[in-house]
Amino acid sequence: MSACFAPHPSGILPVRLLRNIRLARFFRSSPAPRTVRICLCAALLCLLLAPAETTTARAQDLKGKTNINLVRDRYRKVSRTLPSVVNAQENEEAIRERLSCYEGYHDYTQRIKICNNTYIKEVVRLARKSIHSRPSLGEFVLNVGICPVLFNLCIGQTDNDRERCILFERQCIDYTLDVYWRGAAQYTQQTYRLNQ
């Protein structure tokens, strides 16, 4: 009998020897379960040795362009846009309907789901009726949704001058139409603009 299998004086096998026996049994098993066990061990080893950075969430960079900066930039561009005569009355009616819808719903979520949804659908319907160029519809819908926010900014800037801000929201719709529907830069479609 070899020395490693000789009985131990205390009757208990050394711990190192027990570990070696377990490893030998592990690797001596049939090929299919052995392959699965080896893969599991390798995966466990990879998880243990993986850098902590990959398992933790990174902090968001707050120095980048935020939504408020986007809205401020849009506000400046819209204020330089001349209002269009195309759908002027219809767009104004859509704005007034949105504002009256807001009076019926005081919850912000309902205003977005009901009032703004109806407003955007109406603006798209009016644009399809009168503008015959091919739109970038997805971007138009996303960006025309900012116009009610600009209306609220205008209300704050003009001491609640509602009529001026309705005109400003119309300008926002026209700016969005210029960029995402008409495919023209500002002021290039002067035939659509009012004389100011």
Side-chain angles (χ1 to χ4, degrees):
M1 197 182 266
S2 69
C4 67
F5 290 110
H8 199 266
S10 68
I12 300 172
L13 291 174
V15 175
R16 185 181 305 159
L17 182 61
L18 285 175
R19 284 186 192 148
N20 290 340
I21 292 171
R22 285 184 198 144
L23 284 175
R25 282 186 198 153
F26 176 78
F27 288 108
R28 198 175 25 203
S29 62
S30 65
R34 180 176 32 186
T35 306
V36 172
R37 290 179 186 161
I38 291 173
C39 290
L40 288 174
C41 286
L44 182 62
L45 185 65
C46 288
L47 285 175
L48 291 175
L49 297 178
E53 185 177 311
T54 59
T55 57
T56 57
R58 292 184 182 204
Q60 186 179 2
D61 180 19
L62 298 177
K63 296 178 184 175
K65 193 169 189 179
T66 62
N67 288 341
I68 191 64
N69 290 334
L70 173 79
V71 171
R72 285 178 181 157
D73 184 49
R74 181 67 49 86
Y75 190 89
R76 284 189 291 273
K77 289 177 180 175
V78 166
S79 64
R80 292 190 302 256
T81 301
L82 295 172
S84 170
V85 295
V86 176
N87 292 340
Q89 185 176 1
E90 293 90 346
N91 285 343
E92 188 171 319
E93 287 174 15
I95 295 166
R96 290 184 188 279
E97 285 175 15
R98 178 186 64 78
L99 293 172
S100 66
C101 181
Y102 274 21
E103 291 171 7
Y105 297 99
H106 299 290
D107 182 49
Y108 180 75
T109 306
Q110 290 178 324
R111 286 181 173 185
I112 295 294
K113 286 184 177 179
I114 298 168
C115 303
N116 284 15
N117 193 18
T118 305
Y119 163 79
I120 290 171
K121 285 179 181 176
E122 181 64 13
V123 170
V124 168
R125 186 189 70 76
L126 293 169
R128 281 189 168 152
K129 182 181 84 171
S130 59
I131 303 171
H132 302 293
S133 58
R134 294 181 66 187
S136 176
L137 192 58
E139 291 184 73
F140 175 77
V141 168
L142 284 173
N143 284 280
V144 82
I146 296 175
C147 294
V149 176
L150 294 185
F151 174 87
N152 289 336
L153 286 176
C154 175
I155 287 290
Q157 293 286 321
T158 60
D159 295 327
N160 294 326
D161 187 351
R162 187 178 168 107
E163 295 305 312
R164 171 65 190 103
C165 294
I166 288 173
L167 177 64
F168 188 75
E169 189 168 343
R170 264 188 48 219
Q171 288 173 256
C172 179
I173 293 171
D174 287 320
Y175 170 80
T176 311
L177 285 168
D178 282 349
V179 175
Y180 301 106
W181 201 299
R182 294 181 182 126
Q186 258 177 314
Y187 304 120
T188 58
Q189 305 229 356
Q190 289 296 332
T191 56
Y192 295 130
R193 304 304 188 208
L194 296 170
N195 293 327
Q196 288 190 349

